[in-house]
Amino acid sequence: MPRLSDIIEEFIKQLIEKKDGEVEIQRNELANFFNCAPSQINYVLSTRFTIERGYYIESKRGGGGSIRIVKVKFENSSNLLENILNNINSPVSQHQANEIVECLLENGVISKREANIMKAALNDKTIPVNQPLKDTLRMLILKAMIISLMNG
């Protein structure tokens, strides 16, 4: 059975798709619709609609918590890969790496199998060093993967 966060995420994604990549929602109205706290909506927005996943979020002051969500559109996979590569400038956590891999999968740049391989290689258990070196190595591995995808 899907968790409430998954249901809210899917609902918002459907709204974005229907509105051609951009939607404005009221956090409180959405919370009322799903019979949950507004903090649950904030959680979904901050974890599922990140720049790593290809979304831009803009909060508007007043108006009951109006939030604009934009699905970033790239002309082609090369532009997406280049954008991701240019934005990886510091150590990367496992969570951040997984977000990037999910973005590549959702945009059709990689297959599900390739995503699973990438996630396995970027997993904390696979990189046998302590922090902060672990996140630095993960960043270098991820950048090498992105460059490989760009050249392949």
Side-chain angles (χ1 to χ4, degrees):
M1 182 168 162
R3 294 183 4 216
L4 181 57
S5 296
D6 297 332
I7 295 168
I8 295 169
E9 175 188 11
E10 191 55 38
F11 179 82
I12 293 171
K13 282 183 175 180
Q14 288 175 6
L15 286 176
I16 292 170
E17 193 173 308
K18 286 180 187 173
K19 298 283 186 172
D20 197 32
E22 183 176 333
V23 69
E24 191 166 316
I25 60 171
Q26 300 285 0
R27 181 178 41 249
N28 292 335
E29 287 180 19
L30 203 54
N32 287 337
F33 180 80
F34 286 103
N35 196 27
C36 66
S39 61
Q40 179 77 32
I41 304 302
N42 287 342
Y43 170 78
V44 171
L45 292 173
S46 65
T47 60
R48 312 287 178 94
F49 294 90
T50 62
I51 196 69
E52 291 91 356
R53 282 198 169 187
Y55 293 94
Y56 171 76
I57 295 181
E58 179 182 291
S59 294
K60 297 188 176 187
R61 301 276 182 213
S66 177
I67 298 168
R68 187 170 148 249
I69 307 167
V70 179
K71 175 78 172 147
V72 180
K73 295 176 186 167
F74 295 95
E75 292 177 22
N76 55 46
S77 60
S78 295
N79 289 15
L80 175 60
L81 290 167
E82 187 176 322
N83 183 276
I84 290 171
L85 186 64
N86 290 337
N87 284 296
I88 302 174
N89 300 314
S90 59
V92 175
S93 70
Q94 181 177 337
H95 176 75
Q96 290 169 315
N98 286 343
E99 293 287 304
I100 291 168
V101 172
E102 284 297 318
C103 177
L104 295 173
L105 179 62
E106 287 178 9
N107 284 283
V109 177
I110 59 174
S111 68
K112 181 69 174 165
R113 183 172 186 260
E114 291 166 324
N116 289 337
I117 292 168
M118 290 177 76
K119 286 180 181 180
L122 298 166
N123 190 293
D124 276 343
K125 294 175 184 168
T126 306
I127 305 171
V129 295
N130 293 326
Q131 293 293 0
L133 186 55
K134 184 181 298 270
D135 288 347
T136 300
L137 285 174
R138 186 180 355 261
M139 173 193 67
L140 295 171
I141 294 166
L142 182 58
K143 285 181 117 174
M145 290 176 171
I146 300 294
I147 290 168
S148 178
L149 290 168
M150 291 171 79
N151 294 331

